[in-house]
Amino acid sequence: MVKNIHHVGIVVQSLARAYAFWRDALGLPLVREAELPDQGVRAALLAAGHSEVELLEPTRGDTGVARFLAKRGEGLHHLCLETPSIDADLGALKAQGVPLLDERPRQGLAGRIAFLHPNACHGVLVELTTPPPGDAHAESPVRFKRLVIGCREPQDTAKTYHQIFGLPEVAVNDGPRSMLGWSGGGTLLMVPASEVGGTLGMAALSMVAPEMGALADRLKKIDAVMFSGASEITLKPEAGNNVHLHISRYHFP
Ligand code: CO
């Protein structure tokens, strides 16, 4: 049912400050920004190749996003998967007994959206969206490549995502890791939590860029770089709202 990783949602203190990193230094073009009063957030979507990055700033204290920020601080918050048929999919998930936060779709920034209960996906909050007809991802120089998820049992977690969403498996070298998604698009990489500092759930993002020079210069200017080489940059998590982000060079076909 799922055909793409639509976006990764990141909770931030301030959209204005987050733009300095994600839009201005990293170069992700702003697609749209809006206040969603019913969800108590001001949200923005930025283009990142076949997927997007969503920034969420709480506008009041009594929402899930505000509680997340108070308890855990800024950082990766949810994963959004794109489906052409959210109504049918929610019905099917409900029939299978998959725990849902939203039993009916509602209007979100990315289209008609609904959240599953985190228990459905081993602690990861997953959103489904059906974007409005004709809504296409914008061009961007830096593209989403992979979301790394820390797991107790990576094969077991991958099996759950495969069963619930029909996410295709992508071959990886033998070992404890498992990958789902589209090798030419975005992927989810399930790894043992011990490989990502004990984190269970969303742990890191990988992106790709066609050139590193100007990008590295912009990121160095705001003191965001932890390591930079000829074909890769590792960023300081504190520079990008506590997101562990790695960028590698890739010549887009
Ligand atoms: Co979202």
Side-chain angles (χ1 to χ4, degrees):
M1 72 190 214
V2 162
K3 61 172 205 178
N4 186 24
I5 295 169
H6 188 278
H7 65 261
V8 172
I10 299 165
V11 170
V12 305
Q13 286 275 3
S14 153
L15 267 187
R17 284 202 300 275
Y19 282 155
F21 178 79
W22 298 97
R23 183 191 60 190
D24 303 338
L26 206 56
L28 306 185
L30 179 63
V31 176
R32 69 178 77 95
E33 179 193 318
E35 181 148 4
L36 305 170
D38 60 316
Q39 293 168 46
V41 294
R42 195 158 184 88
L45 283 169
L46 294 90
H50 298 294
S51 302
E52 296 177 359
V53 165
E54 183 179 57
L55 303 173
L56 300 158
E57 176 194 319
T59 51
R60 49 170 214 266
D62 60 344
T63 64
V65 168
R67 283 190 294 273
F68 180 96
L69 182 62
K71 195 173 154 197
R72 302 169 62 170
E74 297 185 310
L76 291 166
H77 175 262
H78 68 267
L79 161 68
C80 180
L81 301 171
E82 180 175 344
T83 164
S85 50
I86 192 164
D87 297 275
D89 292 345
L90 276 181
L93 292 175
K94 202 179 163 190
Q96 289 167 50
V98 173
L100 306 174
L101 293 180
D102 297 305
E103 299 209 341
R104 279 192 201 84
R106 53 196 167 94
Q107 197 56 44
L109 195 60
R112 296 178 66 240
I113 62 123
F115 282 92
L116 279 65
H117 192 284
N119 286 348
C121 298
H122 299 256
V124 174
L125 180 60
V126 175
E127 176 185 21
L128 292 176
T129 186
T130 297
D135 198 42
H137 290 293
E139 281 298 313
S140 66
V142 175
R143 299 185 183 187
F144 173 88
K145 180 186 177 197
R146 183 176 298 160
L147 173 68
V148 181
I149 298 176
C151 313
R152 287 197 176 85
E153 298 282 349
Q155 315 293 348
D156 191 42
T157 305
K159 200 171 144 196
T160 302
Y161 282 67
H162 177 69
Q163 279 171 349
I164 297 185
F165 305 113
L167 273 168
E169 273 183 66
V170 180
V172 284
N173 296 335
D174 281 344
R177 298 175 157 209
S178 201
M179 189 145 80
L180 299 176
W182 298 267
S183 49
T187 56
L188 306 177
L189 179 66
M190 279 69 175
V191 305
S194 57
E195 285 188 26
V196 285
T199 302
L200 281 172
M202 294 181 289
L205 275 185
S206 291
M207 296 198 177
V208 286
E211 61 83 31
M212 307 305 271
L215 175 62
D217 288 347
R218 288 199 305 274
L219 290 163
K220 280 175 185 162
K221 205 177 275 178
I222 59 164
D223 192 29
V225 175
M226 182 187 287
F227 169 82
S228 99
S231 58
E232 59 175 324
I233 305 172
T234 302
L235 293 159
K236 295 179 183 172
E238 61 270 30
N241 308 100
N242 290 334
V243 176
H244 289 264
L245 177 58
H246 183 264
I247 304 166
S248 50
R249 191 167 61 185
Y250 173 71
H251 292 288
F252 303 136

